[in-house]
Amino acid sequence: MPHIITQMAYRRQITRSAQKKWFRTINNPCNYYMIISCNEEKIGVINIKNINLTDQWGEGGLFIWDKKYWNTHIPVLASLCLLNFVFLELKITNKSFVKILKNNWQAIRYNQQLGYTLAPYQEKEKNQLYVLTLEDYILKTVKLRRAAQIISGDNQPPRLSG
């Protein structure tokens, strides 16, 4: 998928055996990977990985391969579901980190809307680290979380199912 690979830090072709090997490394209690589906169609993956329970942080990621969903409300709903899950339900983290390529302006703006800010000393890095605290998430996403409740029609916070 050339339209995606240009926005990713890892750009090599992934073989089936490499994918299986990778899955074995992430299949543990410090990683949560979930399929994003819309109208019963699998369209992406969202995750928090390498959770550090002692320091209460994890690294988030979002990958939507179907371009028709990129500029819709679906990525935001998926992100809110994941962040509500780790921050408010599991309560296993109080910080989330994401890595974004310096020239991926769309991803930078998107994550800033969720409350992520550039971590210190990242200005010159190609793959920059952004941080989101629980407090910033609560403050910065009030309107987004309310809109998600309206879109869902059930007046409940965004949540995972499965």
Side-chain angles (χ1 to χ4, degrees):
M1 295 179 213
H3 63 282
I4 295 173
I5 206 161
T6 61
Q7 301 303 318
M8 307 301 278
Y10 187 87
R11 295 185 177 180
R12 293 186 214 125
Q13 183 69 26
I14 301 172
T15 64
R16 186 176 295 276
S17 63
Q19 187 77 28
K20 287 180 181 180
K21 182 179 178 182
W22 169 79
F23 181 76
R24 285 191 296 275
T25 68
I26 63 148
N27 191 14
N28 63 65
C30 293
N31 298 301
Y32 289 84
Y33 282 78
M34 282 131 310
I35 300 290
I36 301 168
S37 62
C38 183
N39 300 321
E40 299 185 32
E41 177 186 0
K42 295 175 182 175
I43 64 165
V45 174
I46 192 163
N47 68 280
I48 187 160
K49 66 180 184 176
N50 302 326
I51 296 170
N52 179 322
L53 294 172
T54 303
D55 296 327
Q56 293 190 308
W57 60 265
E59 182 182 340
L62 173 65
F63 179 79
I64 296 181
W65 52 78
D66 193 331
K67 283 176 89 171
K68 72 181 177 190
Y69 293 102
W70 283 9
N71 294 311
T72 70
H73 64 282
I74 301 300
V76 174
L77 291 177
S79 294
L80 293 174
C81 287
L82 178 71
L83 292 168
N84 278 353
F85 178 64
V86 298
F87 280 149
L88 306 175
E89 289 182 45
L90 293 181
K91 299 179 182 176
I92 56 174
T93 66
N94 59 27
K95 283 187 184 168
S96 173
F97 294 97
V98 293
K99 291 183 180 175
I100 308 170
L101 292 177
K102 188 177 189 168
N103 62 352
N104 189 346
W105 298 109
Q106 185 175 9
I108 291 169
R109 281 191 304 272
Y110 174 81
N111 283 282
Q112 287 173 334
Q113 288 178 336
L114 294 171
Y116 283 91
T117 58
L118 187 64
Y121 311 109
Q122 294 294 301
E123 294 81 9
K124 295 180 181 179
E125 297 296 322
K126 181 181 178 182
N127 196 15
Q128 297 177 322
L129 186 68
Y130 283 74
V131 63
L132 173 66
T133 64
L134 169 60
E135 295 80 19
D136 283 343
Y137 172 69
I138 298 298
L139 289 172
K140 302 280 184 164
T141 61
V142 170
K143 291 180 183 177
L144 286 175
R145 288 182 287 118
R146 181 65 187 134
Q149 288 177 316
I150 292 167
I151 289 169
S152 69
D154 64 6
N155 233 8
Q156 297 295 315
R159 61 198 175 280
L160 300 172
S161 65

